[in-house]
Structures are given as structure tokens and as C-alpha cells.
Amino acid sequence: MSWKVTVFAARPIIEAALVAHEDAWDWDHEIVLSGREVAEDQPEDWVLEAWLDRKPTKADKAAITALFADAKPKLIVEELPETDWLVASQEGLEPIRAGRFHVHTPEHPSVDEPGVFDFAIPASQAFGTGHHATTAGCLAMLTHMKAQGLVIRNCADIGTGTGLLAFAALSLWPRTLATASDIDAVCVNVVEDNAQANGVTMGARRGELVMTVADGMAHPVLEARGPYDLILANILAGPLVSLAPDFGKSLVPGGHLLLAGLLETQEAAVRAACRKAGLRLAARMVNGDWSILWMRKRGH
């Protein structure tokens, strides 16, 4: 059984609710939340959707309503048919080109072009098919970083999802030590399957990928394989702020941090946390409503 609660409102109202959700320390994480524009030609009309595996209780409805401060949003509650909604939402996605990367689902053909890295990433239970603006923005920023002459020898992808960003880093810097992690254990099999399908070798040597389950940077594998000269983190603004000190400690002097998953309205808070951690802005990119930040740790 699966249920969905929907709220329609103006973009600033939904964005404020998403920020409130990130700050709600007692949020029930069995309620999965997302916000988006209703349609491309209606950029100021947004919808907030909450998915549950149970019929919403009064407490569930109250928690969602509380995200809207003094407003009283209209909650539309509906029972859904038995469907994997994440997979269904990604089926039929058109291929994308972001920087030197062509990303597509297996239903679409690969491309064989000089200088272009092709990845087939199926719809799955993990985030990161490349179609979200944050993932595509990271691929474009990685391409820019490579063009600026960066040499990466040790990288970590935190909150890897499908593994796509880790695969991309290995493509650009094929001799790097690469580590990927995610808080969701489901991602282990997803990453391993995607690695096999895309010719990425799992292992602990240079040019190979180690995958582990970890909450942020607090894991023996991540600690043992650091410090890093590149950390990727396409997650959410709240965790990016709280993890900024750990990111700073886990980078070598002069190391690089690529952040995404934050709305442009949340950028100031993330950058402030990074400054306190000894990181400065090297470059930024805005893709839709989302900011992609290239931060650099101060050297000796």
C-alpha cells in the first residue's frame, strides 16, 4: 500500500516548506518529500509531494502542514496503485548531454564520439540518473574542472546514489583512487550493477571504485582512504552545512569540494559554512533553481 499527500502553492511557499523540512530534526524519514514546478511553462507554480507506505495519520498530516508556518495548505490525500514510483518517474527519460558526458537509460542507444563519456544508468531505487539539474550540473562542473587542469589522485563521492558521479570522476581521472558512499544500503547493489554495465571496475586499486554505506564522512573506510583532493557531495543543503567541517578536515591542503543539491536560495548558508571550514569559492554554476559550487580548501 502506498499513499501520497500533495500541496499546490506558489514557488516561494513550497521552497520555504522544503527548507523547513531540512531543519525539522524530528522529521519521520518514512515520509519522503519532494518539491518541483508543476510544468516548464509554469515556473512559479509548484507542488510539494509526500509519499508514505501507510495511510497518512493525523500526526502525518500535522507534520506536513507544520512545514508551511502560519499558512493552512490544502492537503490532497490519495492512495496509489502498487508501483515503484521512483522507477516509474524515470522511465522514458530522454538522454542528456552535460559537459563531456552523455547519460541515458538502457532503452536509448549509446553514443561513440571522441572525447565523450557514455553512461547507461537505468531507473532504480537510487537517485542520480543524470536527469536532475543537480546531477547534470555536477557533470558539467567536473568537465570544467578537468579543463582547468586539475589533477585528481584521490576522490570520494558522498551520497553517491547510482554511482554516476563517481564513474564520471574515474572517466576524467582514470588513475585516481575512488571511493563512493551512501547512507542507503540499497545503493550498494545499484552501484555494483551500474559499474558492471558501464565497464567500471570495483576494487581498492587506482582506477577502481570502493563502495561503502556511511552517514556522511563518519566511516572507517572513508577515514582510512583519505585525505582526498576531491570530494563530491550532491545531497541536500542541510547536510551540506552540517558536513562542511568534516569535508574540510578530509581534504588535503588545496583540495577541491564539489557541492550540489542546494537551491540557489540556500547557497549563502552553504557557502558560509564552507568558509568557516577553510574553504573558498572557486566557481559556481546555476542550473535551473539549483546551485552547483566548486569550493577549494586553503593551502599551507
Side-chain angles (χ1 to χ4, degrees):
M1 184 179 296
S2 181
W3 293 75
K4 182 171 75 168
V5 179
T6 305
V7 177
F8 292 94
R11 169 183 165 180
I13 295 175
I14 299 296
E15 287 183 343
L18 293 172
V19 172
H21 165 247
E22 291 184 14
D23 294 337
W25 61 270
D26 58 346
W27 184 261
D28 182 352
H29 293 288
E30 291 187 1
I31 305 176
V32 179
L33 210 67
S34 72
R36 59 179 174 82
E37 60 187 26
V38 173
E40 290 187 5
D41 59 350
Q42 298 174 257
E44 297 305 314
D45 296 329
W46 276 44
V47 56
L48 180 142
E49 295 170 311
W51 286 271
L52 305 88
D53 60 2
R54 61 177 183 266
K55 185 176 181 179
T57 64
K58 288 184 179 180
D60 295 333
K61 296 176 186 177
I64 296 169
T65 299
L67 299 176
F68 292 86
D70 297 330
K72 294 183 179 180
K74 178 183 178 182
L75 305 185
I76 302 171
V77 180
E78 57 182 317
E79 184 178 358
L80 304 174
E82 287 295 332
T83 307
D84 187 328
W85 288 99
L86 180 57
V87 173
S89 69
Q90 297 178 352
E91 286 179 349
L93 292 175
E94 292 299 314
I96 67 158
R97 178 68 64 89
R100 293 178 60 184
F101 300 95
H102 178 262
V103 186
H104 58 97
T105 56
E107 293 77 21
H108 294 276
S110 301
V111 299
D112 185 10
E113 299 178 22
V116 175
F117 300 109
D118 183 276
F119 290 110
I121 305 293
S124 72
Q125 292 177 298
F127 176 81
T129 62
H131 293 79
H132 193 276
T134 59
T135 311
C138 285
L139 295 173
M141 185 65 87
L142 283 171
T143 300
H144 174 67
M145 294 165 77
K146 175 70 174 182
Q148 296 303 302
L150 262 66
V151 177
I152 302 301
R153 300 178 178 86
N154 192 4
C155 69
D157 180 12
I158 308 302
T160 190
T162 62
L164 175 58
L165 294 183
F167 301 165
L170 276 168
S171 298
L172 293 171
W173 297 282
R175 293 295 298 161
T176 189
L177 287 171
T179 310
S181 71
D182 202 285
I183 195 171
D184 189 348
V186 168
C187 296
V188 174
N189 288 335
V190 172
V191 170
E192 290 175 349
D193 290 345
N194 287 338
Q196 182 176 11
N198 288 280
V200 176
T201 302
M202 302 297 295
R205 296 176 299 181
R206 293 194 175 276
E208 300 176 343
L209 179 64
V210 166
M211 175 65 193
T212 189
V213 178
D215 184 358
M217 301 300 296
H219 191 279
V221 170
L222 291 172
E223 293 171 359
R225 288 175 64 83
Y228 303 95
D229 45 19
L230 172 63
I231 294 177
L232 314 167
N234 180 15
I235 42 180
L236 293 171
L240 291 178
V241 169
S242 61
L243 286 170
D246 292 337
F247 289 151
K249 294 174 184 176
S250 301
L251 286 168
V252 299
H256 307 272
L257 177 64
L258 178 54
L259 303 179
L262 60 146
L263 292 163
E264 192 175 2
T265 54
Q266 300 168 322
E267 182 178 331
V270 173
R271 287 173 62 174
C274 288
R275 281 196 300 272
K276 291 181 181 178
L279 299 154
R280 61 177 177 82
L281 183 69
R284 67 185 288 269
M285 178 186 301
V286 176
N287 194 3
D289 299 310
W290 304 89
S291 293
I292 294 89
L293 306 179
W294 170 12
M295 311 296 296
R296 187 167 188 177
K297 184 176 177 178
R298 296 187 183 95
H300 291 294

